[in-house]
Every structure is written in structure tokens, then in C-alpha cells.
Amino acid sequence: MSKGVVYIVDDDEAIRDALGWLFQSRGVTAQCFASAEDFLSVWSVPCSGCLVLDIRMDGMTGLELFDRLCEMGAKLPVIFLTGHGDVPMAVSALKKGARDFVEKPFNDNDLVDKVIEALAWEAERVASAADAASLAQRLESLTLRERQVMDKVLAGKLNKVIADDLGITMRTVEVHRAHLFEKMGVKTAVELAQILSQRR
Amino acid sequence: MNAPRSLRDRQAIQAMPVIAMGLVVMLLGVLLWLLHRNEVEEERRALIQDILWVEQNLYFHLSSGVERLGQLAEMAGRDGPWSDEFVLQGKALVTAAPEIERVIVRDGIGAVVQSLPPVESGAALGGDSEWANTFALSRSSGRPVYGPPYTVEGKGARFEAQVPIFRGGRFAGTVAGVFSLDAMLANRVPWWFAQAYRLEIQDGNGTLLAAKSQLSPAEPGASYTLRFEPPGHGLELVAISYHSDPQLLRNVLAAAIFILSILSVSSLWALRRHVRRRLAAEQALRTEHSFRKAMEDSLTVGMRARDLEGRITYVNPAFCHMVGWTADELVGTVPPMLYWVPEDLEHTYELHRAVMRGEAPAEGFELVFRRKNGERFSALIYEAPLIDSDGRHTGWMASVLDITERKRAEELSRQHQEKLQHTARLITMGEMASTLAHELNQPLSAIASYATGCLNRLSAGDARPEELVPPLTKLGAQAQRAGQIIRRIHDFVRKSEPLVVPCLLDEIIEGVVGFLEPDARKRGIRIDLDLSLTPGAARPRVEADHILIEQVILNLVRNAMEAMGHTPRPQRRLTISLQCADGQARIRVADRGTGIPPEIAANLFSPFFTTKETGMGMGLNICRSIVEAHRGHLWFEENPGGGSVFLFTLPEMAG
């Protein structure tokens, strides 16, 4: 059972109700909204989850809502529900970064599978975003000297050479090195290189 | 642009005689005035000459009188004033010189010692009462002296001339002659002078002393004054010319000239008025003419006049423009006309003869003419008899309208109308299909979701029946909703039941091709029609809804055109053929497009399947439904030359 919320935005009540029931039958929590405006009034960027969005609605259309979310910098995956003849629109949405689209009437478990997959991806995205954020924080906490020492370490230089380069004693280099390893939460230079390469 | 100038010229021309007339009159006036002045000068010269002459004459007589007195004085000095000789001479002098009234002899102390003629006792001597001055002067100077004039009551003015007497060289008195001015004037001024002038003698104060011709002239003319010396003492001779008779001839002449001038001026003025009126009339005529010409030239209707033989007598620019020949080329020509269509000569002649007989239809008739460049055009002609100002019938006037454009416009508007109808039909069908798809999508999606949800719960193995009741109930409701939509569509379709009538397939095909022709031209596609209509054979007829079959063909042709979007231009050929065999009419639409790949071929006729970006996937499906509703078949094949062929059959009508 994956954790995560699916937001369903569709102006047809029967479809909202039916999809709610369907996701519930697969153990996915669903929140339904009758319009794009309703959704925007409760949702904010930090909320994670997967958005299932009807492309054609009265008032603000699904595409408009999607554009709005892009402007707000939302990263959550969006899956469009399209009617007949809306495929070109859906394709243009994909180009703008929507995750997928499903044509009505759909093979329903297919939709659920896609949502579950998207939620898993979303969870990973949130986690890695958190990792990146903490790595950035750790790098921030380094002093200038520690930073210089770290660059030399990553370049594969020995403590002696580093000491000569920076015009300090070897003992001081060792102290800096111990400090920065501690701050970056690593035991070895190899580990340090690994976490930094992920970030790139 | 030369109007003002010509107007100026005209005004100048009109003004010239008047100016000339004025000049003539003025010069004549000047001439007359010069003549008059000459005359006056002449008169004055004559007056001066005459008065000088008179003065000379008077002077001569006075001198000679005084000379005679001198002789008497000599005699008196020698013989004494009483001698017979003296008395004789003295009397003779008084007689001979009429101006000398008497001779008075005074002695050395001024006493009168002798008077000739003798004075009767008691009568006045008539000498100068102021004689002493003259006497003294004469004595002191020893020369004759004239005394001042004096007036004797009732006898007029006189004066004395005293001549000294010397005896033995001593002064012994004077001999005085009493001169009468009146007598002098009366006797010494000739008649011709008196006729022309009044002669006056005045003293220094302007007092009249004597005058010849007592009549003072009614209108005094020129006058001239001369000092009267001797006797002097401020005496003056004044000659006043009588106002000469007005010179009749000259005045008559002047009057005649004047009257003539007035007459000429007035006649000129009348002439000018006449010319003005004429000019105004001409101007009006010109204006009228240019107005008519402008009207004629601006007509878009061709005008053509013919005489009774049918010879063209007049064409307007619009007609020339219409047929392309110039007026010079057309006027004077006889039938057959240049613009008649050779292949239709007989019919045209017939109409022409009908017109000449006066049997032209009043509502006009249509005829095809040709232009100079060979182009044909339809003309609408109205003929009307030409009646001249005497009411005689001289020919026929026709108005000719080029109705090619109008016909084309009518055709265009008809096509446009058809296009609109087609579009409207398409829109209706498209909308219907689209609405159907969308409306049905919603309940079907909901049904599928409910069903899948229930299945998910069931397959999980821990489902309780009661939890499945609400979704299944809702599923049922959605199925109902879908049913209602279907019913609505049925109603809609029933409203537009196919109207089955016998129709000609070739006509339908041609209509569709006509409709799509512009589009095909734009895409560079050549459409070949093979309707295999053998002359005499019956054209294939089917019982069908004309509009629906048209839709099918339209759809197939349009698909074929779109299929050739990537075909090289020269190879873009679309062939539509119609054949009949075994009671079936078969229509074939072949394109040279990319053909249909097998993976698509399977789905080609399924609803909502489309290979086009903007397609709805209804076209072929609906087409097949329509054909099948007409008991026909629709299928497709590969085109051996590349591309694909769509075919459908319809059962032909018997007979």
C-alpha cells in the first residue's frame, strides 16, 4: 500500500464519486473537487500528491489550472482525463510537463496504476528534494578553510600536498578534514564524493 | 482653363468699339473746341487790327485838323483873326472837318476875339470852361496842346485843341478847335466797323463820353481798349465786338456729330446686349451639350442608334467599351454587325428583323455578342423607336446591358448558398457526433469506474456485500443516464429522417466536385471525372436521400484530397468514376496519396478512429452507415498506382 493522496478535479459529480470509489477500492486516498477554483483555494505548493484533472470543465479548464500550477512552481505529477477529440490538447500539456493522460472512457485500473506509480515517483521526488536541501545546508555550514580542504580532498590530493598548497601544517589539515567529514555526515572521502555527485 | 482668358478677350472685343466711339466723340469735341478757339483768336486779331486802324484813322484826322489849325494860327499871326482870308479858311475848316465844331481865337490874355462859325447873341460859345490850363500850356510850350474832354449839356463830349499864335515872335493868343467826339466818331469811323463793333470813348474813370452806335449790344462779345493819344488826358478807345451770329452750319454739324455719336453708342450698346444674349444662349447650349455628353459618357449602359435600314448612326462610349470597337469603326456599318457571333448569326438576324419590324419584346431580350478580342458576353437589349423632332420615325435606339457579370454574380451567389448549406449540414452532423461522444463519455466513464471499483473490492477477498450496494446503485443510475442520451439522439435523427427520392448520381458527383473545386485548385490537385455517360444511354439513377449521398461523396473526396498532402504536386490526381453493372451503380474515388498502412486499415471504419489531427473519427463510420442504410456497401482497396481507392455501391433503380 503506497502512501499518498490523489486529488480528483472534475465537474461531473458522477465521475468524481465513481473515481473516489475506485481509488478507495485500491486503498488510495482521494480528495475530490468540483472545479479548478475549489482545488486552488485549498491547495498550496508544499502539498504533495497526484492530480487527476479533467481537461474540459466549465469555468477554469483543466489546462488553465495546469498552467497556473506551473506558474506557482508546483512539481506534483498531473494526469489528464480527456474526452474525445481532446488528444491534441493533452499532447500539448504533456510537452509542458504533465505526467500522462488517460482517455475517457478508460480502462480504470490502468488509471489507478498510473496514479500509484505517480505517487511513488512523487514520494521519491519529495525525499530527494529533502536530501538535496540537507546537503545544501551542510555545505553551507562549512568554513572557508574546510571548503578549501574539501576541494583538495575531492581532487584526490594527500594531506601533505594539501598542507603545502594551503601553507598550513599537516596537523591543521587533519583537524579540518575531520571537521568537514563530521559536518557532511560521511566517514570516507569516497562517500563524500558519492553524495556530492548525486547532487550534480 | 482658358475660359477666363477667352472671357477677357471677349470683353476686350466688346469694349473696343465703345472705346473707339468715345475717342472719336472726344476728338471731334477737341476739334470743335480748337476751331472755336481759332475763331475767337481770329476775331480778336481782327478786332485789334480794326481798332488799331480806327485809331490810326482818328489820329490822322485829328493831326490833319490840328495842322489846319496851325495854318490858321499862322494866318492869324500874319493878318489878324479878322482878315477875310482867316474867316474864309476857318469856315472852310469847320465845314471840311465835321469833327471840328467851331474855331475860337483867343488873344494874348485869353479873351475870345473870334469864333467861327459866329455865335448868335445869347447862345453859348461851347468852348472849354477849363480852357485856361490848355492856354497856359500852349503859351509856355509854344506848341499845339490838346485840352481835357468836357461835356456840353445836350451836345455830347468835346475837347479843345489850342495852337499858339505868334506875332513877330511873340505869343499873341491861341487858335482853338472845338472837337466833338460824337461827330468825330460819326464821321470818321467807317460803316463796316460800326456794323461789327460798338466803339466807345471813355475817360480815365470809365465814364462813357461818346459812342458810335448807341445800341449797347445785348450780349457783349470780345472787347479791346486802346489809349486815345492825342488828345490824351486818359481817354480810351473801346471797341466791343457784337456777339457774332452763332455759326449755324458749324453748330448743325456739331449737333449732327453729337446725335450720330449718341446713335452709334446706343446702337453699339444694343448690339452688345444682343451679343451678350447670344453668348448667354451659346453658353447655355454648351453647358447643356457638355452635360448631355457627360451623362452619355458616364452611362454604364451601352446606347446604340440605328436607322430604318439597320445602319448604326450612333454609339456611346459604354457600348464601345463593351464590344471593344471604336465609335468610328461602328458608325455606318450595316448588319451583320461586327459584334455579332458568327456561329449564332441566323438567330441574331431573326431578332434583328423582328426589331426592324417593330416587334422587339418590350421586356427586352437576351443575346450573346462578341467583343473585338473574341470574348463572348451576354447582353440584355431593350429597343425603342427613335422619333425625331418632326414626329417622324427615323430608326431604333437600343440600350445594351452587359449582364455577364450579373449572371456570374448570380452563379456565384448560388454556389455560395450551396456551400453554406453544405457547411451547415456538415456542422450539424459534426456537432451531433461530437455531442454524442462527449455526452456518452461521462456516464460510461462513471459506469466503468464503479464496476472496476467493485471488482477490485471483490478480488481483494474481504468485500462485504453491503458496501458494494451504493456503487452498484449509482452504476445503474449512470446506465440510465446513458440511455437517455441515446434516446435524445434517436429523436434528433428521427426529426431528420432520410428523404428518399430518385436521383441522378452523375449530378450529385458534379455538384460535389463543383463545391470542392476551389479547394482542390488551392492544393494543386487535378480532379478527373469519368462518369462514362454514353450518349443516348440512361443515366444511372438510384433511390436515395440526395443530401446523405452527397455527404458520403463529399467525405470520401475530401479524405482523398487530404491524403495527397505529401504527394509531389504534379502527381496529385484524384479520379472519380461512375460505373453500372448488375443493377449496381458503383462510385470510385481514387487518390495518389500515401495509402493506408495495414495497422490502420483494421480500425478505419470504427467510430472515433481518426488519423487526422483535427478529425473526429466519425466520417467514414457515418459514411458506411449511410451507404448501408441505402442497401449498399462501402469499402476500400489499394490503388495499383499508389494511394488508395474508396468504393461504394448503390442498387440502381429499375427502368
Side-chain angles (χ1 to χ4, degrees), chain B residues 217-228:
Chain B
E219 287 180 67
S223 70
Y224 195 79
T225 306
L226 211 59
R227 292 178 65 82
F228 189 20

Side-chain angles (χ1 to χ4, degrees), chain A residues 10-15 17-19 21-22 24-26 54 56 82-86 88 104-109 111-112, chain B residues 437-438 441-450 452-454 456-457 467-468 471 474 478 481 608-609 613 615-618:
Chain A
D10 195 314
D11 58 354
D12 188 308
E13 201 207 334
I15 289 187
D17 190 67
L19 286 177
W21 162 252
L22 173 64
Q24 193 193 315
S25 74
R26 295 276 303 268
D54 187 16
R56 280 194 193 214
T82 64
H84 173 76
D86 297 337
K104 287 183 196 173
F106 30 77
N107 175 346
D108 297 276
N109 270 329
L111 170 65
V112 182
Chain B
H438 278 286
N441 252 343
Q442 303 294 73
L444 292 176
S445 301
I447 288 168
S449 300
Y450 284 127
T452 314
C454 290
N456 287 344
R457 290 301 301 127
E467 75 169 294
L468 296 184
K474 287 175 185 164
Q478 289 305 306
R481 178 179 162 192
F608 308 112
F609 178 85
E613 275 210 2
M616 294 187 312
M618 296 298 287

